[in-house]
Structure formats: C-alpha cells, structure tokens
Amino acid sequence: MGGTPTDLKLIDERGLRIDGRRPDEMRPLRIEAGVLKRADGSAYVEWGQNKVMAAVYGPRECHPRHLQNPERALVQCNYNMASFSVEDRKRPGPDRRSHEISKIISEALTHVVFTEYFPRTSIDVYIEVLQANAGTRCAGLTAASVALADAGVPMKDLVAACAAGKVADTVVLDLGKEEDNSGQADIPLGYVPRTGEIVLLQMDGDLSPEEFDKGVRMAIDACRKVSEIQRDALKRRYSASSADVDAAQAVPEMPKEGP
Ligand code: UDP
C-alpha cells in the first residue's frame, strides 16, 4: 500500500480498473484437484497471474514429538514463494512474511478440520507460489483447502478466500499487483460458507468503517463464488477417477503368457 502515485490511473473515467475489471469483479480463477501423484492430496490454482500449488501429507505421526497434541491433530502449513515467482528475484528460504502467512493459513484451516479425529498426528500442508501477482495468501488458502479435501481429510467445509481493498478512493475486489502496490488498502479474507465464519482477516492500509463493511461484504460474496469453483474442481476430479475405474474394469484381463 504505497498511496496513489499521480502518473498511475487505477480507475478510469468509465469506472474500470487498470486491467479492465469493474470494482466488484474478481480475476479469472481456475482450480484443479489431485495434480500431484506423491502427495496424499493436492491442488493447483491459477488466479489471474498467480500460480499456486498446494500439497497435503497426513494425518501422519507428528514430528518433532514434543509438538504432538494427545487430543488433536496439528495442522502445519508451510507457505513458500519461489525465487522466480516475482519480478525482483526473491531470496530463497523462509522469511518474516512467509512465517506470518504460514501461521495465518494454519490457523484458518485448523478451524475447519476435525482435528479431534486424529490425536497426536500432524497434517502437513505445503503451499508453493510459482508465480505471484498479489493475492497469493488467498490463492494459497483456497488451494490448500481443496488439497485437504482431495486427501480425504474430514472438514466442516472448504475455506474459500478472496481479498477486497481500496484503490483511487474506490472499494474494489481482488487487488492485482499494481493495485496492491499503489492502492490505499487491502483486506484478505478467508470464509467458511457453510457456517458463515470468517477464519482469516487482515488489513493493510486505511479504510473508514463504511468502506471496511463494504469491502468485507464484497469479499464474502466472492468467497461464495470461489467455494463453488473449489467444489467443481473436486467433482471433476472424482468423476474423472470413477470414470477411470469404470474404464479399467471394462478392459478384459489379458491372457497370461504361458510358463
Ligand atoms: N511480492 C514480491 N516480493 C516479495 C513478496 C511479495 O514481489 O518478496 C509481491 C508478490 O507479487 C505478492 C505481492 O507482492 O503477491 C503482494 O504481497 P503481499 O505480502 O501483500 O501478499 P499477497 O497479496 O501475495 O497475499
């Protein structure tokens, strides 16, 4: 949030944004579930120019052991941004920002997973940002909950996420990179449609209470759409796998070679 520089017009005369979107329009979102063979569950998300992969392992024995909870599973997220994902090469390895994002995503997912079913275990969620263009924590959380469902982890519901914010004195949905850099505020939000709970909420910048309410309402509406796209991805994945099974069963077994 750097304040609007005079030479960059974030909203034009027609009320459209720098990439042609209306204020309440989300960037195109595509989700694919079950993309990695060696993870227990996985998902790939393309959201505008963001490209994010999520992989889930577990529930499995929790290491180090002193972290084990005898009553519930620990949901441990690791968010990582690849060096090549951003314009100025990012120094590899964890930093303050990635620790913060890993923590808030772990907490958001802990709210929906039935952790009490798996005492002493860890459910490990890896989020790899391959290409970033603002909104990667929302894309990461959205991908992670699809990957958890793909892994068969029981949950109250999927968490859907989307940000709202303010650019050129206008409340807008799902900020792109220029808007994030030069806008006035950003509110990433994670939402559980089935219960109406907000499980992630941050704010960067300044908003009046009315603008904040408008932004939150806009983000929640968008999360409901995100949730449908998440469900469609899982339905496609599982109808495709059952079609594979049907096809495999339809193929007659080849006669074995003689001794
Ligand atoms: N970004 C970057 N280098 C970094 C961290 C972030 O270029 O080391 C960019 C990246 O495009 C990211 C955006 O800044 O998506 C906004 O980052 P922010 O911390 O607001 O998180 P995000 O919006 O991705 O959840």
Side-chain angles (χ1 to χ4, degrees), residues 144-161:
S145 56
V146 174
L148 279 168
D150 183 46
V153 173
M155 291 184 281
K156 275 196 247 178
D157 195 1
L158 297 164
V159 181

Side-chain angles (χ1 to χ4, degrees), residues 143-237:
S145 56
V146 174
L148 279 168
D150 183 46
V153 173
M155 291 184 281
K156 275 196 247 178
D157 195 1
L158 297 164
V159 181
C162 189
K166 182 178 166 186
V167 302
D169 296 325
T170 310
V171 177
V172 297
L173 185 67
D174 185 27
L175 278 68
K177 183 79 178 94
E178 294 89 352
E179 295 176 325
D180 186 88
N181 284 352
S182 312
Q184 295 151 298
D186 186 20
I187 326 169
L189 182 143
Y191 183 69
V192 185
R194 182 165 293 166
T195 61
E197 290 166 286
I198 292 175
V199 291
L200 184 153
L201 183 64
Q202 296 185 290
M203 187 168 118
D204 182 11
D206 288 319
L207 288 173
S208 68
E210 295 73 30
E211 288 167 339
F212 177 79
D213 281 351
K214 187 172 178 189
V216 166
R217 262 185 278 118
M218 231 184 216
I220 289 177
D221 283 347
C223 285
R224 294 206 180 94
K225 290 181 194 134
V226 171
S227 175
E228 278 168 32
I229 299 171
Q230 289 174 306
R231 278 161 208 283
D232 286 347
L234 287 160
K235 282 184 203 156
R236 270 200 319 277
R237 152 93 165 126

